[in-house]
Amino acid sequence: MSFKPISDIGEFGLIERIAPIAAPTLEAVPGLTEGIGDDCAVYELSPSTVQVATTDLLFEHIHFDLLTTPLQHLGSKAISVNVSDICAMNARPRYALVSIALPPKASVELVETVYRGMSETAQRYRTALAGGDTSASPGGIVISVTATGEAEKEKITLRKGARSGDLVCVTGSLGEAAAGLRVLMREKDIMLEHIRHGETYDRDIMSNLGEYNEAIRQQLLPSARMDIIDFFHKHSIVPTSMIDISDGLAPDLGHICKRSGVGAYIEESRLPISSQVRHVADEFQEDAVNYALSGGEDYQLLFTLKKEQFSAIASHPDITVIGKITPEDEGMLLCDIYGMTVDLNTIGGFDHFGGK
Ligand code: ADP
Ligand code: MG
């Protein structure tokens, strides 16, 4: 038997290998209507209500760097990234279980500060912190949050419902978190340079980098778009499909297209990219559109909507129509500002294993 390095198939390839092994367990539970493959698993509680469940892992040195991450923000982000997956199902969060692994030298105060961030944010989403598990860690800090939510069965929104002709919409502005990360990593280098020369570093990351505040806030302290779910419910809007943007617009739109068996046509000129993101990209001599397409961690919602529902979202200041769903054989295309089309499948996103 030969062994294949995970990096040969990447994170998504690995999940595709895991899914068939888990499949027989799913078949044994008839109420489980969605297993591996969407933002949450879906379980029927009653003929009219479903429960959704999701889990996300934050690993020190992979997902966060304590040099540039305030502890309270870290706690907040651990909750928000899970609630974001619940929002992506058009559901509301209910409770979360938090597992944490800590180096024995970590202080009690550190843990309390992380939990204060979690608690404050969980209260904002009306989510209960209802349990968890605690362990020692031989390396860095690990935080794993599992969250559940609830929705009316007819409102649940999967990745697989997009149809040709639907509008493709996003919330907020894209590429912010990627831009924020660039600025923070540069600041970290400055910090380490100070330390190397025996100097003190007394800048406060959040207040001293004022001109980048929005991008840094989106990186360190993202919000799940519960406000959009409230808006949908208030106006009886049910998107045909939805996902939260955690890997980048291109790969996450790819998940919708693959699961729905459709293509998409996106117009670059419509992408909501702020002047701050463009400014950061210019400073780093990079392309702001790439931050939006493959930067990841924006935790905005990407959804598709029947054309007839356009008037229901038209007046919302934070929802942008960026393109349309097309037949599968037309592929997933980006029309750039010069009118040239680019295959979005060739644009990768964040992959933990650097999949090829
Ligand atoms: P998201 O970015 O929305 O959190 P992921 O890309 O992490 O989604 O996961 C995609 C799908 O694969 C989800 O349905 C998730 O539950 C499932 N999945 C991811 N990792 C595993 C795993 N190790 N075992 C089983 N299912 C997994
Ligand atoms: Mg998701």
Side-chain angles (χ1 to χ4, degrees):
M1 186 176 177
S2 68
F3 295 101
K4 191 195 286 284
I6 299 171
S7 58
D8 275 10
I9 55 172
E11 185 181 340
F12 301 138
L14 184 66
I15 295 171
E16 279 174 18
R17 296 281 289 253
I18 291 172
I21 304 173
T25 66
L26 310 182
E27 284 155 21
V29 181
L32 196 86
T33 56
E34 285 296 319
I36 296 172
D38 218 299
D39 293 284
C40 291
V42 180
Y43 179 73
E44 272 184 23
L45 289 178
S46 75
S48 61
T49 346
V50 297
Q51 183 190 65
V52 296
T54 181
T55 189
D56 261 300
L57 196 58
L58 293 186
F59 222 106
E60 186 179 351
H61 307 305
I62 304 275
H63 298 97
F64 62 92
D65 190 319
L66 285 179
L67 268 181
T68 54
T69 311
L71 295 169
Q72 198 146 340
H73 294 0
L74 175 62
S76 173
K77 184 168 177 175
I79 298 299
S80 289
V81 299
N82 278 276
V83 173
S84 179
D85 274 324
I86 289 177
C87 289
M89 309 302 288
N90 200 19
R92 291 184 197 282
R94 284 283 182 261
Y95 67 92
L97 304 172
V98 179
S99 296
I100 186 159
L102 300 152
K105 277 190 181 154
S107 71
V108 175
E109 288 73 18
L110 174 149
V111 182
E112 285 179 336
T113 310
V114 171
Y115 267 79
R116 256 182 234 115
M118 284 193 202
S119 175
E120 210 170 88
T121 298
Q123 288 174 58
R124 195 150 47 82
Y125 301 127
R126 277 179 263 126
T127 303
L129 299 182
D133 194 20
T134 308
S135 162
S137 159
I141 298 177
V142 185
I143 304 175
S144 165
V145 176
T146 299
T148 66
E150 237 173 78
E152 285 169 52
K153 193 171 160 187
E154 73 218 30
K155 290 203 171 136
I156 205 80
T157 306
L158 307 175
R159 293 178 179 180
K160 66 182 175 199
R163 294 293 171 262
S164 183
D166 287 355
L167 302 171
V168 179
C169 309
V170 288
T171 63
S173 137
L174 301 178
E176 298 281 353
L181 186 63
R182 295 291 192 289
V183 175
L184 287 173
M185 288 303 104
R186 181 173 63 188
E187 200 61 15
K188 180 184 163 186
D189 289 342
I190 296 171
M191 239 185 253
L192 292 175
E193 206 47 32
H194 274 73
I195 293 166
R196 222 170 276 134
H197 292 102
E199 297 160 7
T200 51
Y201 174 93
D202 55 6
R203 288 151 66 106
D204 172 344
I205 291 265
M206 287 305 265
S207 57
N208 272 312
L209 296 174
E211 63 177 305
Y212 310 106
N213 57 355
E214 193 51 32
I216 291 177
R217 200 180 60 76
Q218 289 290 344
Q219 168 58 226
L220 293 177
L221 203 56
S223 273
R225 298 304 307 255
M226 263 317 294
D227 59 314
I228 298 291
I229 304 309
D230 291 340
F231 171 80
F232 286 163
H233 289 186
K234 189 167 166 208
H235 294 89
S236 302
I237 299 166
V238 180
T240 51
S241 72
M242 185 148 60
I243 187 169
D244 68 324
I245 304 181
S246 53
D247 297 321
L249 175 65
D252 287 322
L253 180 63
H255 292 314
I256 285 191
C257 288
K258 196 169 175 195
R259 300 276 298 180
S260 299
V262 295
Y265 182 86
I266 304 300
E267 290 175 62
E268 182 188 324
S269 60
R270 291 177 180 263
L271 296 180
I273 300 175
S274 72
S275 52
Q276 198 173 86
V277 169
R278 291 190 192 279
H279 172 73
V280 172
D282 284 350
E283 269 188 28
F284 284 82
Q285 297 184 317
E286 291 177 320
D287 186 354
V289 175
N290 270 339
Y291 288 3
L293 295 177
S294 54
E297 289 206 296
D298 275 322
Y299 299 106
Q300 297 294 343
L301 294 171
L302 167 65
F303 60 94
T304 57
L305 200 65
K306 284 204 168 60
K307 264 203 311 253
E308 303 75 56
Q309 289 219 291
F310 172 68
S311 59
I313 54 132
S315 61
H316 196 292
D318 216 21
I319 295 177
T320 311
V321 178
I322 59 168
K324 63 180 182 191
I325 293 294
T326 55
E328 188 168 27
D329 58 6
E330 291 183 21
M332 206 172 70
L333 301 174
L334 176 78
C335 175
D336 73 11
I337 50 170
Y338 307 105
M340 304 283 284
T341 51
V342 184
D343 182 355
L344 277 173
N345 281 305
T346 61
I347 299 171
F350 183 75
D351 185 316
H352 279 111
F353 302 100
K356 297 161 198 164

Tab-separated table of all heavy atoms in Angstrom, residues 246-290:
chain	number	residue	atom	x	y	z
A	246	SER	N	-15.828	31.716	3.973
A	246	SER	CA	-14.713	31.490	4.891
A	246	SER	C	-13.420	31.218	4.137
A	246	SER	O	-12.339	31.519	4.629
A	246	SER	CB	-15.029	30.352	5.863
A	246	SER	OG	-15.434	29.209	5.157
A	247	ASP	N	-13.510	30.669	2.922
A	247	ASP	CA	-12.291	30.344	2.173
A	247	ASP	C	-11.960	31.396	1.113
A	247	ASP	O	-10.826	31.487	0.664
A	247	ASP	CB	-12.436	28.975	1.491
A	247	ASP	CG	-12.610	27.863	2.512
A	247	ASP	OD1	-11.941	27.921	3.549
A	247	ASP	OD2	-13.420	26.955	2.280
A	248	GLY	N	-12.938	32.178	0.691
A	248	GLY	CA	-12.760	33.159	-0.383
A	248	GLY	C	-13.947	33.052	-1.327
A	248	GLY	O	-14.532	31.970	-1.468
A	249	LEU	N	-14.291	34.174	-1.985
A	249	LEU	CA	-15.472	34.163	-2.863
A	249	LEU	C	-15.384	33.065	-3.926
A	249	LEU	O	-16.353	32.344	-4.164
A	249	LEU	CB	-15.633	35.540	-3.531
A	249	LEU	CG	-16.752	35.644	-4.562
A	249	LEU	CD1	-18.122	35.456	-3.926
A	249	LEU	CD2	-16.691	36.987	-5.293
A	250	ALA	N	-14.205	32.913	-4.583
A	250	ALA	CA	-14.093	31.953	-5.695
A	250	ALA	C	-14.346	30.507	-5.223
A	250	ALA	O	-15.238	29.836	-5.759
A	250	ALA	CB	-12.752	32.085	-6.397
A	251	PRO	N	-13.623	30.009	-4.212
A	251	PRO	CA	-13.884	28.621	-3.804
A	251	PRO	C	-15.268	28.438	-3.175
A	251	PRO	O	-15.899	27.391	-3.361
A	251	PRO	CB	-12.785	28.310	-2.791
A	251	PRO	CG	-12.207	29.612	-2.391
A	251	PRO	CD	-12.442	30.560	-3.522
A	252	ASP	N	-15.764	29.448	-2.446
A	252	ASP	CA	-17.072	29.277	-1.802
A	252	ASP	C	-18.213	29.313	-2.828
A	252	ASP	O	-19.177	28.556	-2.710
A	252	ASP	CB	-17.249	30.297	-0.666
A	252	ASP	CG	-16.376	29.919	0.542
A	252	ASP	OD1	-16.258	28.712	0.823
A	252	ASP	OD2	-15.788	30.807	1.187
A	253	LEU	N	-18.065	30.157	-3.864
A	253	LEU	CA	-19.041	30.113	-4.962
A	253	LEU	C	-18.923	28.755	-5.660
A	253	LEU	O	-19.920	28.171	-6.087
A	253	LEU	CB	-18.781	31.264	-5.946
A	253	LEU	CG	-19.712	31.349	-7.148
A	253	LEU	CD1	-21.159	31.590	-6.718
A	253	LEU	CD2	-19.264	32.460	-8.112
A	254	GLY	N	-17.697	28.258	-5.726
A	254	GLY	CA	-17.455	26.930	-6.308
A	254	GLY	C	-18.240	25.848	-5.583
A	254	GLY	O	-18.785	24.934	-6.203
A	255	HIS	N	-18.325	25.947	-4.242
A	255	HIS	CA	-19.086	24.957	-3.460
A	255	HIS	C	-20.570	25.016	-3.834
A	255	HIS	O	-21.218	23.983	-3.981
A	255	HIS	CB	-18.934	25.216	-1.953
A	255	HIS	CG	-17.547	24.959	-1.440
A	255	HIS	ND1	-16.825	23.840	-1.772
A	255	HIS	CD2	-16.756	25.672	-0.617
A	255	HIS	CE1	-15.644	23.882	-1.172
A	255	HIS	NE2	-15.574	24.993	-0.467
A	256	ILE	N	-21.107	26.226	-3.967
A	256	ILE	CA	-22.516	26.377	-4.345
A	256	ILE	C	-22.742	25.792	-5.740
A	256	ILE	O	-23.679	25.024	-5.965
A	256	ILE	CB	-22.946	27.875	-4.282
A	256	ILE	CG1	-23.125	28.299	-2.826
A	256	ILE	CG2	-24.208	28.122	-5.108
A	256	ILE	CD1	-23.788	29.638	-2.599
A	257	CYS	N	-21.848	26.143	-6.687
A	257	CYS	CA	-22.022	25.682	-8.078
A	257	CYS	C	-21.931	24.160	-8.170
A	257	CYS	O	-22.745	23.515	-8.836
A	257	CYS	CB	-20.979	26.324	-8.987
A	257	CYS	SG	-21.319	28.069	-9.268
A	258	LYS	N	-20.947	23.591	-7.445
A	258	LYS	CA	-20.747	22.144	-7.507
A	258	LYS	C	-21.951	21.414	-6.917
A	258	LYS	O	-22.475	20.468	-7.507
A	258	LYS	CB	-19.475	21.789	-6.742
A	258	LYS	CG	-18.957	20.407	-7.063
A	258	LYS	CD	-17.563	20.209	-6.496
A	258	LYS	CE	-17.120	18.764	-6.740
A	258	LYS	NZ	-15.981	18.391	-5.951
A	259	ARG	N	-22.397	21.869	-5.724
A	259	ARG	CA	-23.513	21.198	-5.047
A	259	ARG	C	-24.830	21.395	-5.793
A	259	ARG	O	-25.714	20.545	-5.699
A	259	ARG	CB	-23.684	21.729	-3.604
A	259	ARG	CG	-22.495	21.542	-2.703
A	259	ARG	CD	-22.391	20.199	-2.039
A	259	ARG	NE	-23.476	19.862	-1.144
A	259	ARG	CZ	-23.544	18.720	-0.481
A	259	ARG	NH1	-22.593	17.818	-0.625
A	259	ARG	NH2	-24.548	18.462	0.321
A	260	SER	N	-24.965	22.543	-6.490
A	260	SER	CA	-26.227	22.843	-7.174
A	260	SER	C	-26.230	22.357	-8.616
A	260	SER	O	-27.284	22.372	-9.266
A	260	SER	CB	-26.482	24.362	-7.176
A	260	SER	OG	-26.592	24.876	-5.868
A	261	GLY	N	-25.040	21.991	-9.154
A	261	GLY	CA	-24.954	21.577	-10.561
A	261	GLY	C	-25.237	22.739	-11.501
A	261	GLY	O	-26.003	22.613	-12.464
A	262	VAL	N	-24.626	23.905	-11.207
A	262	VAL	CA	-24.831	25.092	-12.039
A	262	VAL	C	-23.492	25.778	-12.288
A	262	VAL	O	-22.474	25.413	-11.696
A	262	VAL	CB	-25.777	26.113	-11.347
A	262	VAL	CG1	-27.178	25.536	-11.194
A	262	VAL	CG2	-25.221	26.553	-9.979
A	263	GLY	N	-23.501	26.802	-13.154
A	263	GLY	CA	-22.350	27.672	-13.355
A	263	GLY	C	-22.660	29.049	-12.804
A	263	GLY	O	-23.749	29.261	-12.244
A	264	ALA	N	-21.739	29.992	-12.974
A	264	ALA	CA	-21.997	31.358	-12.493
A	264	ALA	C	-21.232	32.353	-13.345
A	264	ALA	O	-20.185	32.027	-13.918
A	264	ALA	CB	-21.593	31.492	-11.032
A	265	TYR	N	-21.785	33.553	-13.436
A	265	TYR	CA	-21.140	34.640	-14.183
A	265	TYR	C	-21.080	35.838	-13.253
A	265	TYR	O	-22.108	36.394	-12.854
A	265	TYR	CB	-21.975	34.950	-15.422
A	265	TYR	CG	-21.391	36.021	-16.302
A	265	TYR	CD1	-20.441	35.692	-17.271
A	265	TYR	CD2	-21.792	37.352	-16.175
A	265	TYR	CE1	-19.900	36.673	-18.084
A	265	TYR	CE2	-21.255	38.339	-16.988
A	265	TYR	CZ	-20.310	37.988	-17.941
A	265	TYR	OH	-19.777	38.963	-18.744
A	266	ILE	N	-19.852	36.203	-12.838
A	266	ILE	CA	-19.653	37.284	-11.860
A	266	ILE	C	-18.975	38.460	-12.557
A	266	ILE	O	-18.084	38.262	-13.384
A	266	ILE	CB	-18.745	36.781	-10.695
A	266	ILE	CG1	-19.332	35.525	-10.036
A	266	ILE	CG2	-18.500	37.884	-9.671
A	266	ILE	CD1	-20.700	35.692	-9.439
A	267	GLU	N	-19.408	39.665	-12.218
A	267	GLU	CA	-18.783	40.851	-12.816
A	267	GLU	C	-17.859	41.517	-11.807
A	267	GLU	O	-18.311	41.930	-10.735
A	267	GLU	CB	-19.860	41.829	-13.274
A	267	GLU	CG	-20.628	41.298	-14.470
A	267	GLU	CD	-21.773	42.215	-14.837
A	267	GLU	OE1	-21.505	43.377	-15.177
A	267	GLU	OE2	-22.922	41.771	-14.767
A	268	GLU	N	-16.582	41.621	-12.182
A	268	GLU	CA	-15.592	42.214	-11.278
A	268	GLU	C	-16.007	43.622	-10.836
A	268	GLU	O	-15.844	43.995	-9.677
A	268	GLU	CB	-14.222	42.278	-11.968
A	268	GLU	CG	-13.136	42.843	-11.078
A	268	GLU	CD	-11.811	43.100	-11.810
A	268	GLU	OE1	-11.441	42.326	-12.702
A	268	GLU	OE2	-11.164	44.100	-11.468
A	269	SER	N	-16.581	44.389	-11.765
A	269	SER	CA	-16.930	45.787	-11.451
A	269	SER	C	-18.002	45.877	-10.360
A	269	SER	O	-18.191	46.922	-9.760
A	269	SER	CB	-17.421	46.494	-12.707
A	269	SER	OG	-18.567	45.823	-13.190
A	270	ARG	N	-18.706	44.775	-10.114
A	270	ARG	CA	-19.755	44.793	-9.088
A	270	ARG	C	-19.252	44.352	-7.713
A	270	ARG	O	-19.980	44.445	-6.731
A	270	ARG	CB	-20.900	43.851	-9.489
A	270	ARG	CG	-21.703	44.329	-10.680
A	270	ARG	CD	-22.751	43.275	-11.013
A	270	ARG	NE	-23.563	43.659	-12.141
A	270	ARG	CZ	-24.760	44.236	-12.029
A	270	ARG	NH1	-25.261	44.476	-10.840
A	270	ARG	NH2	-25.462	44.547	-13.101
A	271	LEU	N	-18.035	43.827	-7.634
A	271	LEU	CA	-17.558	43.295	-6.345
A	271	LEU	C	-17.437	44.418	-5.313
A	271	LEU	O	-16.804	45.444	-5.586
A	271	LEU	CB	-16.193	42.600	-6.509
A	271	LEU	CG	-16.164	41.346	-7.390
A	271	LEU	CD1	-14.735	40.785	-7.459
A	271	LEU	CD2	-17.127	40.286	-6.886
A	272	PRO	N	-18.032	44.243	-4.132
A	272	PRO	CA	-17.914	45.289	-3.113
A	272	PRO	C	-16.535	45.239	-2.441
A	272	PRO	O	-16.272	44.390	-1.602
A	272	PRO	CB	-19.035	44.931	-2.118
A	272	PRO	CG	-19.239	43.457	-2.285
A	272	PRO	CD	-18.842	43.099	-3.685
A	273	ILE	N	-15.651	46.127	-2.888
A	273	ILE	CA	-14.291	46.195	-2.337
A	273	ILE	C	-14.072	47.628	-1.857
A	273	ILE	O	-14.226	48.578	-2.636
A	273	ILE	CB	-13.237	45.808	-3.403
A	273	ILE	CG1	-13.495	44.377	-3.896
A	273	ILE	CG2	-11.825	45.938	-2.839
A	273	ILE	CD1	-12.595	43.917	-5.023
A	274	SER	N	-13.735	47.791	-0.582
A	274	SER	CA	-13.645	49.139	-0.006
A	274	SER	C	-12.358	49.834	-0.430
A	274	SER	O	-11.381	49.194	-0.848
A	274	SER	CB	-13.707	49.047	1.518
A	274	SER	OG	-12.496	48.497	2.001
A	275	SER	N	-12.340	51.154	-0.276
A	275	SER	CA	-11.128	51.910	-0.640
A	275	SER	C	-9.985	51.523	0.302
A	275	SER	O	-8.819	51.532	-0.084
A	275	SER	CB	-11.389	53.408	-0.614
A	275	SER	OG	-11.951	53.764	0.615
A	276	GLN	N	-10.315	51.120	1.549
A	276	GLN	CA	-9.264	50.717	2.486
A	276	GLN	C	-8.578	49.427	2.001
A	276	GLN	O	-7.352	49.306	2.056
A	276	GLN	CB	-9.867	50.503	3.878
A	276	GLN	CG	-8.839	50.519	4.976
A	276	GLN	CD	-9.480	50.472	6.354
A	276	GLN	OE1	-9.773	49.404	6.869
A	276	GLN	NE2	-9.700	51.623	6.949
A	277	VAL	N	-9.377	48.482	1.518
A	277	VAL	CA	-8.807	47.228	0.991
A	277	VAL	C	-7.944	47.529	-0.232
A	277	VAL	O	-6.833	47.007	-0.370
A	277	VAL	CB	-9.930	46.217	0.657
A	277	VAL	CG1	-9.383	45.028	-0.129
A	277	VAL	CG2	-10.603	45.734	1.932
A	278	ARG	N	-8.418	48.401	-1.110
A	278	ARG	CA	-7.624	48.762	-2.307
A	278	ARG	C	-6.314	49.435	-1.900
A	278	ARG	O	-5.263	49.179	-2.484
A	278	ARG	CB	-8.443	49.684	-3.226
A	278	ARG	CG	-9.611	48.953	-3.870
A	278	ARG	CD	-10.275	49.788	-4.948
A	278	ARG	NE	-11.534	49.190	-5.349
A	278	ARG	CZ	-11.652	48.178	-6.197
A	278	ARG	NH1	-10.569	47.657	-6.750
A	278	ARG	NH2	-12.829	47.679	-6.490
A	279	HIS	N	-6.407	50.279	-0.870
A	279	HIS	CA	-5.227	50.992	-0.379
A	279	HIS	C	-4.188	50.000	0.172
A	279	HIS	O	-2.991	50.092	-0.138
A	279	HIS	CB	-5.687	51.984	0.704
A	279	HIS	CG	-4.588	52.652	1.439
A	279	HIS	ND1	-3.820	53.636	0.870
A	279	HIS	CD2	-4.112	52.481	2.695
A	279	HIS	CE1	-2.928	54.035	1.745
A	279	HIS	NE2	-3.066	53.343	2.863
A	280	VAL	N	-4.637	49.037	0.972
A	280	VAL	CA	-3.714	48.028	1.529
A	280	VAL	C	-3.084	47.224	0.389
A	280	VAL	O	-1.867	47.009	0.352
A	280	VAL	CB	-4.432	47.088	2.535
A	280	VAL	CG1	-3.527	45.943	2.946
A	280	VAL	CG2	-4.919	47.870	3.749
A	281	ALA	N	-3.914	46.787	-0.566
A	281	ALA	CA	-3.400	45.986	-1.692
A	281	ALA	C	-2.339	46.786	-2.445
A	281	ALA	O	-1.286	46.251	-2.807
A	281	ALA	CB	-4.541	45.575	-2.616
A	282	ASP	N	-2.585	48.089	-2.666
A	282	ASP	CA	-1.596	48.935	-3.357
A	282	ASP	C	-0.289	48.971	-2.569
A	282	ASP	O	0.796	48.834	-3.133
A	282	ASP	CB	-2.127	50.367	-3.514
A	282	ASP	CG	-3.171	50.458	-4.622
A	282	ASP	OD1	-3.311	49.456	-5.367
A	282	ASP	OD2	-3.847	51.497	-4.720
A	283	GLU	N	-0.400	49.146	-1.237
A	283	GLU	CA	0.806	49.204	-0.394
A	283	GLU	C	1.642	47.942	-0.511
A	283	GLU	O	2.858	47.981	-0.472
A	283	GLU	CB	0.406	49.369	1.081
A	283	GLU	CG	0.315	50.801	1.523
A	283	GLU	CD	0.110	50.903	3.017
A	283	GLU	OE1	0.546	50.001	3.767
A	283	GLU	OE2	-0.512	51.890	3.439
A	284	PHE	N	0.958	46.811	-0.610
A	284	PHE	CA	1.665	45.521	-0.670
A	284	PHE	C	1.920	45.080	-2.117
A	284	PHE	O	2.364	43.963	-2.355
A	284	PHE	CB	0.868	44.442	0.088
A	284	PHE	CG	0.982	44.576	1.593
A	284	PHE	CD1	0.184	45.482	2.279
A	284	PHE	CD2	1.898	43.821	2.309
A	284	PHE	CE1	0.297	45.636	3.658
A	284	PHE	CE2	2.017	43.961	3.684
A	284	PHE	CZ	1.217	44.874	4.359
A	285	GLN	N	1.592	45.980	-3.055
A	285	GLN	CA	1.735	45.694	-4.486
A	285	GLN	C	1.050	44.386	-4.860
A	285	GLN	O	1.622	43.512	-5.530
A	285	GLN	CB	3.210	45.672	-4.882
A	285	GLN	CG	3.842	47.039	-4.662
A	285	GLN	CD	5.275	47.102	-5.135
A	285	GLN	OE1	6.058	46.181	-4.897
A	285	GLN	NE2	5.621	48.187	-5.788
A	286	GLU	N	-0.182	44.255	-4.336
A	286	GLU	CA	-0.992	43.078	-4.658
A	286	GLU	C	-2.308	43.554	-5.268
A	286	GLU	O	-2.551	44.756	-5.381
A	286	GLU	CB	-1.221	42.246	-3.385
A	286	GLU	CG	0.075	41.585	-2.921
A	286	GLU	CD	-0.061	40.792	-1.620
A	286	GLU	OE1	-0.769	41.243	-0.697
A	286	GLU	OE2	0.559	39.738	-1.536
A	287	ASP	N	-3.167	42.579	-5.628
A	287	ASP	CA	-4.414	42.910	-6.303
A	287	ASP	C	-5.584	42.766	-5.322
A	287	ASP	O	-5.814	41.681	-4.776
A	287	ASP	CB	-4.562	41.937	-7.496
A	287	ASP	CG	-5.759	42.281	-8.358
A	287	ASP	OD1	-6.529	43.187	-7.978
A	287	ASP	OD2	-5.913	41.640	-9.416
A	288	ALA	N	-6.314	43.864	-5.113
A	288	ALA	CA	-7.433	43.840	-4.169
A	288	ALA	C	-8.492	42.812	-4.596
A	288	ALA	O	-9.148	42.197	-3.743
A	288	ALA	CB	-8.065	45.231	-4.075
A	289	VAL	N	-8.630	42.604	-5.914
A	289	VAL	CA	-9.636	41.628	-6.387
A	289	VAL	C	-9.251	40.224	-5.924
A	289	VAL	O	-10.113	39.419	-5.565
A	289	VAL	CB	-9.782	41.698	-7.930
A	289	VAL	CG1	-10.723	40.616	-8.439
A	289	VAL	CG2	-10.282	43.079	-8.338
A	290	ASN	N	-7.933	39.961	-5.871
A	290	ASN	CA	-7.496	38.653	-5.366
A	290	ASN	C	-7.814	38.483	-3.884
A	290	ASN	O	-8.113	37.373	-3.435
A	290	ASN	CB	-5.996	38.465	-5.580
A	290	ASN	CG	-5.716	37.823	-6.903
A	290	ASN	OD1	-6.605	37.180	-7.467
A	290	ASN	ND2	-4.523	38.013	-7.432
